[in-house]
């Protein structure tokens, strides 16, 4: 399996609580995040969201879709959301939020692919997969800012 580690930073001029509320509502992602085709909540979590199990279908610029389940394993409102993915991607994703003159959001996504063709072509296609991930995340930052009626100050 091919391993990937991505670190994305967004800075948005919106309050941390509002940002956290939008990010913790994964069922709402398709409304504002271009590339998220669908999110189905398979199991609800507790009042903090821990235990929630969602099924995601993602599609972006490259001509393939990825489907995976993600279980929320840790929530520290309004600073952290962590989930474990399994399916066509396996690994851990962690949202970390920092309060300042707005909200800085850092997403750490450490996954491996399980699709045979992605693993076969992974060494050659790694730059394309990374480029694709960057586009998806750029669209996410822009969509989140628009959803909050805010400005995306930084995407890295």
């Amino acid at each position: 399996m091919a391993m990937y580690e991505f670190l994305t930073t967004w800075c948005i001029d919106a309050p941390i609580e509002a940002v956290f509320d939008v990010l913790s509502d994964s069922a709402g992602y398709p409304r504002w995040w271009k590339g998220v085709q669908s999110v189905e909540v398979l199991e609800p979590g507790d009042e903090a969201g821990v235990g929630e199990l969602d099924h995601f279908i993602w599609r972006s610029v490259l001509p393939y879709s990825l489907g995976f389940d993600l279980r929320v394993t840790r929530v520290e409102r309004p600073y952290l959301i962590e989930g474990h993915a399994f399916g066509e991607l396996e690994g851990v994703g962690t949202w970390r939020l920092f309060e300042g003159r707005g909200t800085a959001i850092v997403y750490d996504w450490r996954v491996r692919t399980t699709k045979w063709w992605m693993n076969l072509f992974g060494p050659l296609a790694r730059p394309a997969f990374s480029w694709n991930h960057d586009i998806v995340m750029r669209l996410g930052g822009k969509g989140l800012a628009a959803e909050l009626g805010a400005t995306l100050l930084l995407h890295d």
Side-chain angles (χ1 to χ4, degrees), residues 14-146:
I16 193 170
E17 289 284 346
V19 172
F20 183 90
D21 287 344
V22 174
L23 290 176
S24 65
D25 176 22
S26 55
Y29 284 16
R31 181 179 65 247
W32 58 267
W33 195 331
K34 187 175 179 180
V36 181
Q37 288 188 309
S38 65
V39 179
E40 179 184 357
V41 178
L42 302 175
E43 297 174 15
D46 65 14
E47 68 268 355
V50 175
E52 181 174 315
L53 178 64
D54 300 321
H55 181 71
F56 288 83
I57 303 287
W58 292 79
R59 172 108 184 178
S60 65
V61 179
L62 296 179
Y64 64 87
S65 294
L66 284 173
F68 59 89
D69 293 343
L70 188 129
R71 181 165 311 270
V72 177
T73 54
R74 189 170 148 209
V75 176
E76 296 175 14
R77 183 178 186 88
Y79 303 106
L80 181 132
I81 305 166
E82 183 177 88
H84 289 246
F86 51 96
E88 293 177 336
L89 291 177
E90 294 181 349
V92 178
T94 306
W95 292 107
R96 294 184 193 282
L97 285 69
F98 302 90
E99 194 168 22
R101 291 188 185 139
T103 304
I105 304 126
V106 177
Y107 188 62
D108 185 5
W109 186 225
R110 297 169 187 253
V111 292
R112 61 183 172 267
T113 56
T114 63
K115 280 189 165 190
W116 70 269
W117 67 267
M118 292 181 91
N119 292 332
L120 180 66
F121 297 110
L124 295 173
R126 180 175 294 275
F129 294 158
S130 294
W131 171 80
N132 194 58
H133 175 81
D134 288 345
I135 289 174
V136 167
M137 295 309 289
R138 189 171 298 115
L139 293 170
K142 290 177 181 177
L144 178 61

